[in-house]
């Protein structure tokens, strides 16, 4: 069990907030703020904790009863996912370029 915690220490950062939040939509908001913080760092985005939190969101979306709230949260979730993919593509292109330069 200790190995599992070590594999996901970033989600430990928000464990208390997740436990404090009563409603699924509140838990989703906590997760999405966390996701946003992981891809909007000035240095390299932290994709692993982002994807771990993203996966947890899927479970919670099923529990949100209000369709208007669910739609609003889904829109935010989609935007964050698109932004993470865009950043990943940019980093992959930069890495490929750097490899090319080293090979030359």
């Amino acid at each position: 069990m200790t190995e599992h915690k070590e594999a996901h220490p970033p989600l430990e950062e928000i464990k208390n907030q997740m436990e404090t939040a009563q409603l699924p939509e509140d838990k989703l908001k906590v997760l999405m703020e966390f996701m946003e913080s992981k891809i909007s760092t000035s240095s390299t985005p932290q994709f692993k904790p982002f994807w771990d939190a993203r996966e947890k969101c899927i479970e919670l979306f099923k529990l949100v009863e209000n369709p208007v709230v669910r739609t609003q949260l889904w829109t935010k979730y989609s935007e964050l996912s698109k932004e993470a993919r865009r950043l990943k593509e940019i980093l992959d292109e930069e890495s490929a370029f750097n490899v090319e330069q080293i090979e030359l």
Side-chain angles (χ1 to χ4, degrees):
M1 183 97 178
T2 307
E3 290 178 24
H4 188 265
K5 283 186 178 180
E6 289 174 13
H8 302 286
L11 290 180
E12 289 292 316
E13 289 176 30
I14 58 169
K15 184 179 178 182
N16 290 338
Q17 290 176 287
M18 291 293 292
E19 290 172 356
T20 304
Q22 298 294 315
L23 299 172
E25 47 266 41
D26 294 335
K27 292 177 190 251
L28 278 165
K29 288 175 185 173
V30 169
L31 281 168
M32 285 193 267
E33 286 175 13
F34 175 78
M35 290 165 61
E36 190 168 18
S37 74
K38 294 303 170 189
I39 60 170
S40 60
T41 58
S42 57
S43 60
T44 305
Q46 299 174 4
F47 291 113
K48 174 77 171 118
F50 176 90
W51 296 120
D52 289 345
R54 184 178 183 270
E55 187 176 307
K56 195 144 184 75
C57 285
I58 295 295
E59 302 163 17
L60 291 169
F61 271 111
K62 298 173 188 173
L63 303 174
V64 178
E65 294 178 11
N66 184 327
V68 173
V69 172
R70 188 181 323 118
T71 300
Q72 290 170 341
L73 291 170
W74 186 261
T75 300
K76 176 73 172 173
Y77 173 82
S78 296
E79 290 170 3
L80 288 170
S81 297
K82 286 176 190 172
E83 180 64 15
R85 281 189 207 99
R86 187 184 71 76
L87 289 171
K88 178 92 171 88
E89 285 177 17
I90 290 170
L91 288 174
D92 288 347
E93 288 172 7
E94 287 177 358
S95 294
F97 176 77
N98 288 336
V99 167
E100 275 182 31
Q101 295 302 305
I102 290 170
E103 287 175 353
L104 292 176

